[in-house]
Amino acid sequence: MSIQEEVGKRRTFAIISHPDAGKTTMTEKMLLFGNMIRSAGTVKGKKTGKFATSDWMEIEKQRGISVTSSVMNFPYRGYEVNILDTPGHEDFSEDTYRTLTAVDAVVMIIDATKGIEAQTLKLFKVCRMRGIPIFTFMNKLDREGREPFDLLQEIESELEIETYPMTWPVGMGKRFQGVFDRHNERFVRYSGDEQEEYIPYSELDQHPEITEEVAYQEAEEELSLVDEAGDTFEIEKVLRGEQTPVFFGSALAPFGVETFFETFIDMAPAPTPRKSTKGLVSPENEQFSGFIFKIQANMNPKHRDRVAFVRVCSGKFERGMSVTLGRTGKEFKLAQSQQFVASSSNTVEEGYAGDIIGIYDPNVYRIGDTLLTGKETFEYDELPQFPPEQFKKVTAKNVMKSKQFYKGIEQLVQEGAIQLFKRPYFEDYIIGAVGELQFEVFEYRMKYEYNVDIELTPYGERIPRWLKEDQVDTSLFDDRNMLVEDREGNKVALFKNEFSLRWFVDKHPDMDLIDLFEVNQYTQTNE
């Protein structure tokens, strides 16, 4: 096939939601459709011993949460599907934000019993800001929940996006009978098992056991209201991120998932051009290029491996090819290349725009790096970074384990979930994170992956501001307003609170204090 034909087969998307909305369960069902697993696990699989495939870390199995993005690749109905399952917990939202830079569409899971929740709102806004097409799945219809009209109204008012119901539910909870599939003009019957029964609209009059139910008749009236007063479906609006197709069902049952997935795969966009320092780069460009959006240590703890995940953006990837690292100009050979179902991998020989490929990292790559072939070099747009809000001093309880201690910190910091700072003269190691859960995961992984018990001494919440090198005066800082260095050697002031920050600004009006969050907000808003 030509590069153009190969690119047209790719569907690369992320699944995002608030915690417990059913995101990882949905991923499991999609893997079933792709014949990648024989039976679906659940996120909280402690009693059965069958855990979700995408929750591959030991701590994810123990805690029943997703703490890192998982990458899964499989063929489905002639398409090459790349799914990225993301953490729902807000403490790991930076990992999710970076993952969103590597996808062409997003599936948003909403718990129909709760509606839009805090993390849902945050992630939706990021998608809207980046113009990513959004497909919505209203989950848990097999429980009593909110009325469909209320859910649609909330999406339109809270998220400021048009909705178009692709399916419409008949009842909910114990009264749940199935959904009207508007796109395929059929009724999908819910029988309580995994088989979905499809009845064309023209044959419904042969099923009085369905049509004479009160729930069916009420749903039919609601559907005629939607047909008359609702928005018309426009695929162009969907691809611009201005309209979201909405589907109803239950990922756990499962019901409505296959109907959703088949429609989504046909509607979702193939890879599109990407912004770089030389302008837009077409996915059909002959020159291979891609960027690293994620680095993961210890996917195989026995081998202490490090895998860099590359989103292919143009040209053809071939195992063993030599590429240039845009940041340094150095050349590397990509001999070890893999595609994944969570932590299980297969060697991949070739790839095209849209594919997510794991390559061995000999400790040289960074998140955001561009890899490419040819003489012309460029770099893809920088990935978002977010300043930490909480800081803790980290030390090894056993000084004899210092080698493992430093190696563990170096590798886990390079994954991007936590940030490392050093205090000049004291040589203290300080780690910063968005939330407490990140510290817990860090401590757990240091113990079980690097065999190091650590001690964390809290500095509490701090307000970080980056400083310009020529303006640094060490005499202006103390324990209250600490001066530290980040991994790149840049000086950073950690202010105790807002009062300390305002006092410092008033006293030193000529000093430039850089708020990394504001820089990121500006950059993304003006893309």
Side-chain angles (χ1 to χ4, degrees), residues 193-210:
D193 59 29
E194 296 192 5
Q195 292 301 312
E196 294 185 2
E197 183 185 354
Y198 304 111
I199 304 170
Y201 284 171
S202 58
E203 296 176 14
L204 272 170
D205 56 2
Q206 300 169 31
H207 294 271
E209 75 281 6
I210 297 174

Side-chain angles (χ1 to χ4, degrees), residues 12-14 16 69 84 86 93-106 126-127 129-130 132 272-275 290-294 309-313 354 356 367-369 380-386 520 524 527:
T12 305
F13 61 96
I16 58 176
S69 298
L84 288 85
T86 62
S93 51
E94 186 171 352
D95 188 27
T96 301
Y97 292 154
R98 283 198 293 260
T99 298
L100 291 177
T101 66
V103 301
D104 303 303
V106 157
V126 172
C127 295
M129 191 164 61
R130 301 189 69 87
I132 302 173
T272 53
R274 298 243 152 195
K275 290 181 180 177
F291 67 88
I292 294 169
F293 68 93
K294 177 181 175 63
F309 288 88
V310 179
R311 152 75 193 222
V312 181
C313 298
I356 307 294
I367 289 172
D369 276 349
Y380 284 104
D381 283 5
E382 286 186 32
L383 301 194
Q385 275 186 297
F386 295 85
N520 276 292
Q524 293 190 42
E527 278 189 351

Side-chain angles (χ1 to χ4, degrees), residues 75 132 189 257 513:
I132 302 173
R189 186 188 218 167
V257 179
L513 301 179

Side-chain angles (χ1 to χ4, degrees), residues 59-110:
I59 189 170
E60 294 180 303
K61 297 174 183 178
Q62 299 296 331
R63 294 287 295 269
I65 54 170
S66 298
V67 301
T68 184
S69 298
S70 294
V71 179
M72 285 143 285
N73 169 272
F74 60 89
Y76 180 73
R77 288 179 51 215
Y79 293 102
E80 287 296 324
V81 177
N82 293 282
I83 303 179
L84 288 85
D85 176 32
T86 62
H89 199 287
E90 64 179 352
D91 285 5
F92 296 92
S93 51
E94 186 171 352
D95 188 27
T96 301
Y97 292 154
R98 283 198 293 260
T99 298
L100 291 177
T101 66
V103 301
D104 303 303
V106 157
V107 174
M108 189 79 201
I109 312 291
I110 293 179

Side-chain angles (χ1 to χ4, degrees), residues 206-276:
Q206 300 169 31
H207 294 271
E209 75 281 6
I210 297 174
T211 58
E212 289 177 8
E213 287 286 331
V214 174
Y216 177 89
Q217 291 166 5
E218 288 175 351
E220 202 172 31
E221 286 177 20
E222 291 170 349
L223 193 56
S224 27
L225 269 175
V226 171
D227 288 336
E228 287 174 26
D231 294 315
T232 54
F233 177 69
E234 295 182 50
I235 189 64
E236 294 78 14
K237 279 188 174 181
V238 174
L239 298 180
R240 290 199 301 266
E242 296 169 3
Q243 184 183 75
T244 178
V246 181
F247 300 79
F248 292 83
S250 168
L252 190 60
F255 179 81
V257 179
E258 193 163 9
T259 299
F260 155 72
F261 197 39
E262 286 180 358
T263 308
F264 165 76
I265 286 294
D266 288 337
M267 288 183 179
T272 53
R274 298 243 152 195
K275 290 181 180 177
S276 76

Side-chain angles (χ1 to χ4, degrees), residues 211-463:
T211 58
E212 289 177 8
E213 287 286 331
V214 174
Y216 177 89
Q217 291 166 5
E218 288 175 351
E220 202 172 31
E221 286 177 20
E222 291 170 349
L223 193 56
S224 27
L225 269 175
V226 171
D227 288 336
E228 287 174 26
D231 294 315
T232 54
F233 177 69
E234 295 182 50
I235 189 64
E236 294 78 14
K237 279 188 174 181
V238 174
L239 298 180
R240 290 199 301 266
E242 296 169 3
Q243 184 183 75
T244 178
V246 181
F247 300 79
F248 292 83
S250 168
L252 190 60
F255 179 81
V257 179
E258 193 163 9
T259 299
F260 155 72
F261 197 39
E262 286 180 358
T263 308
F264 165 76
I265 286 294
D266 288 337
M267 288 183 179
T272 53
R274 298 243 152 195
K275 290 181 180 177
S276 76
T277 52
K278 74 163 191 177
L280 285 177
V281 178
S282 168
E284 294 158 21
N285 193 316
E286 293 283 339
Q287 179 186 19
F288 165 79
S289 66
F291 67 88
I292 294 169
F293 68 93
K294 177 181 175 63
I295 293 174
Q296 185 73 53
N298 302 326
M299 293 194 75
N300 184 344
K302 292 178 182 176
H303 294 103
R304 289 277 180 264
D305 62 336
R306 284 167 50 82
V307 176
F309 288 88
V310 179
R311 152 75 193 222
V312 181
C313 298
S314 69
K316 180 180 180 181
F317 168 87
E318 294 179 285
R319 187 165 74 92
M321 71 192 306
S322 293
V323 296
T324 300
L325 177 57
R327 174 171 50 85
T328 63
K330 289 185 178 178
E331 198 170 279
F332 295 92
K333 188 173 183 179
L334 305 183
Q336 297 181 39
S337 52
Q338 305 160 315
Q339 282 185 319
F340 291 85
V341 174
S343 63
S344 303
S345 62
N346 293 307
T347 299
V348 60
E349 298 292 337
E350 60 182 41
Y352 297 87
D355 284 338
I356 307 294
I357 293 171
I359 59 172
Y360 170 70
D361 178 11
N363 208 15
V364 296
Y365 301 132
R366 295 182 191 171
I367 289 172
D369 276 349
T370 297
L371 303 177
L372 66 168
T373 56
K375 294 178 181 177
E376 184 185 17
T377 61
F378 60 86
E379 292 191 66
Y380 284 104
D381 283 5
E382 286 186 32
L383 301 194
Q385 275 186 297
F386 295 85
E389 297 170 12
Q390 298 182 32
F391 297 83
K392 294 187 181 186
K393 177 182 172 181
V394 56
T395 52
K397 288 183 178 178
N398 184 349
V399 292
M400 303 298 289
K401 296 280 185 83
S402 58
K403 185 177 179 182
Q404 297 98 308
F405 173 73
Y406 291 123
K407 183 175 183 179
I409 286 183
E410 179 188 27
Q411 293 198 345
L412 295 183
V413 162
Q414 285 176 329
E415 292 183 6
I418 57 170
Q419 294 183 38
L420 178 66
F421 301 88
K422 291 180 184 176
R423 202 171 175 189
Y425 311 115
F426 296 92
E427 289 302 311
D428 289 344
Y429 272 50
I430 297 169
I431 56 173
V434 173
E436 184 62 34
L437 186 56
Q438 286 174 299
F439 291 115
E440 291 179 31
V441 171
F442 174 74
E443 186 172 10
Y444 183 96
R445 293 186 66 190
M446 285 292 285
K447 181 178 178 66
Y448 290 99
E449 294 179 20
Y450 297 92
N451 197 26
V452 179
D453 287 307
I454 61 170
E455 189 168 337
L456 294 170
T457 308
Y459 286 119
E461 290 191 12
R462 295 270 175 158
I463 302 171

